Amino acid sequence: MDPRFKLAWIPCEELQKEKISKIVDLIIAESTKDYKEKVQKEEIQEIEISMSINQDKDGIITKRPPPGPLMASPSTNHTTVVKTELETYLEEGVLPFDINPLKYWRDIQSFKILRHFAKSILGCCALSAPSERVFSKAGNFYTPERAKLSPEIFRALMMIKCNSDM
């Protein structure tokens, strides 16, 4: 999902086709879940709004839901939309390395389905080094000699130590 690489990391064309089909399958599976949830919420809202209040012959007021199915199924075109969107994205050129991929996905208006997944994937930290550094600093503070530090003091010391470069 990084627009600076796209398929440059896959050596041969056959593997590229295989990876693209797997990516499409994953996106379709995830976005179909999101689509179903969104459709269900929208239909529930529509039903609540369109509930008609009717009076029968005895003067009793009843609420009747509108006719039709309560749950819609995902669009059959969804698969083709995802494939088309991915193909269009891959056909575009690779971006230079000085471009921030998160800004690219934030600013681009097309690729609505890919944009959602790119933002969630690129927002994850790929390395554990920052957390390892924090544990190392914590180990320097919380030694057997300082085992009686209260949690408040320990948190304050860690906050100062980890943010001292700011």
Side-chain angles (χ1 to χ4, degrees), residues 59-150:
I60 299 171
I61 296 175
T62 59
K63 290 185 178 181
R64 255 185 258 155
L70 293 178
M71 299 304 234
S73 60
S75 168
T76 55
N77 295 335
H78 187 64
T79 304
T80 55
V81 169
V82 171
K83 285 182 182 178
T84 307
E85 206 170 285
L86 187 62
E87 287 171 2
T88 308
Y89 166 71
L90 292 173
E91 286 172 3
E92 285 185 353
V94 179
L95 295 179
F97 281 100
D98 60 340
I99 302 279
N100 183 342
L102 285 172
K103 286 183 182 176
Y104 168 82
W105 285 110
R106 182 192 67 207
D107 296 340
I108 195 159
Q109 295 303 313
S110 53
F111 312 129
K112 294 189 187 300
I113 296 170
L114 291 179
R115 185 172 149 189
H116 169 73
F117 293 104
K119 285 173 144 181
S120 64
I121 291 169
L122 292 173
C124 298
C125 183
L127 303 173
S128 63
S131 59
E132 292 292 334
R133 282 190 212 107
V134 170
F135 283 118
S136 176
K137 288 176 186 176
N140 292 338
F141 275 118
Y142 204 78
T143 61
E145 293 81 24
R146 298 176 108 184
K148 291 188 177 186
L149 277 176
S150 69

